[in-house]
Amino acid sequence: MLITEKGCSFFPCPTKKKNDLLGDSVIGFPKDYTVVDLETTGLNPATDLIIEFAAVKVRNGDVVDTFQSLCDPGFPIPPAIEAITGITSEMVRFSPNPRSVLPDFLGFVYDDFVIGHNVLFDVRFIAASNGDFKNTYIDTMKIFRKLHPNLLHHRLSDMVDFYAKKNESAHRALSDCLATQSCFKAMHEEVIMLHQSEEAFLRTLK
């Protein structure tokens, strides 16, 4: 059964284990939203810290504002993370700590729908830093999998290649946000082409 929020229809995606610190996971195509992406010192929100925040605010389908900040976690960035992101300990040496950036980041996102690729990773880190994060969130990876279940992988890089988009600096948060937003628009266009309406596509989901 579809739900309606802020005048848009969504397919609810209940998680296997309910996390009361997080908002609801849905599939849908709002016109107004904020894309988020984080770079972190590792994969565990309980022990690792954010080293880069980024967000892209979208209104009526168009980017209207961006947010980006490097952060100093207070300890050396692990070599494996430096290799993936290109973010070094020297780069963040004079940057603010993650907790001091968090209020401005949350103020930028406000109560928007939050969109990201494998976005549960990001919202878990935000919740761990803030105590909770109740924004409704949409995972572009879930949509991409629903549209193309036969593809071998559904990583951001795969989605960018599939839709012939660009990611100028992969694994840097702002560039990943912009690439995700571009692909989200392409998926919406594909949904309309294949199903004639968002609601028709959402009713096919299980």
Side-chain angles (χ1 to χ4, degrees):
M1 185 174 72
L2 302 187
I3 60 174
T4 301
E5 185 176 344
K6 297 181 182 178
C8 300
S9 295
F10 299 93
F11 175 79
C13 302
T15 54
K16 293 180 180 178
K17 186 177 181 181
K18 176 64 176 175
N19 187 335
D20 293 332
L21 299 180
L22 305 182
D24 295 324
S25 172
V26 302
I27 291 176
F29 297 93
K31 293 182 179 179
D32 298 339
Y33 55 88
T34 297
V35 182
V36 304
D37 189 74
L38 309 175
E39 303 302 334
T40 65
T41 59
L43 302 178
N44 189 343
T47 56
D48 291 303
L49 294 178
I50 298 165
I51 57 173
E52 187 174 33
F53 288 89
V56 170
K57 191 174 293 294
V58 175
R59 291 294 178 263
N60 198 31
D62 295 321
V63 174
V64 297
D65 202 0
T66 62
F67 179 100
Q68 187 272 339
S69 178
L70 288 170
C71 303
D72 184 353
F75 54 82
I77 296 174
I81 301 301
E82 288 190 351
I84 293 170
T85 65
I87 300 172
T88 66
S89 296
E90 184 63 26
M91 286 172 62
V92 303
R93 184 177 169 191
F94 299 107
S95 298
N97 66 65
R99 287 196 176 277
S100 67
V101 175
L102 185 64
D104 288 339
F105 175 79
L106 293 174
F108 184 88
V109 176
Y110 192 46
D111 65 349
D112 261 4
F113 295 110
V114 166
I115 291 177
H117 200 74
N118 192 26
V119 73
L120 184 58
F121 174 88
D122 304 282
V123 300
R124 282 175 172 163
F125 264 90
I126 298 167
S129 300
N130 187 57
D132 64 16
F133 189 61
K134 294 298 185 71
N135 294 54
T136 300
Y137 60 95
I138 298 168
D139 190 346
T140 54
M141 185 166 65
K142 286 185 178 180
I143 302 174
F144 191 44
R145 279 178 173 160
K146 296 290 186 182
L147 286 171
H148 301 285
N150 295 326
L151 291 180
L152 186 60
H153 299 293
H154 297 85
R155 298 164 298 196
L156 177 57
S157 59
D158 301 306
M159 188 170 70
V160 167
D161 289 344
F162 184 89
Y163 291 110
K165 303 301 180 181
K166 292 183 179 180
N167 190 349
E168 301 292 347
S169 299
H171 299 294
R172 287 301 303 271
L174 184 57
S175 185
D176 283 356
C177 281
L178 291 167
T180 299
Q181 192 271 337
S182 182
C183 290
F184 183 68
K185 287 186 70 173
M187 286 191 290
H188 182 226
E189 292 168 358
E190 184 179 15
V191 161
I192 298 302
M193 180 182 69
L194 294 174
H195 298 274
Q196 285 70 59
S197 72
E198 299 167 13
E199 289 78 8
F201 167 68
L202 296 175
R203 290 192 183 96
T204 69
L205 304 180
K206 297 180 181 179

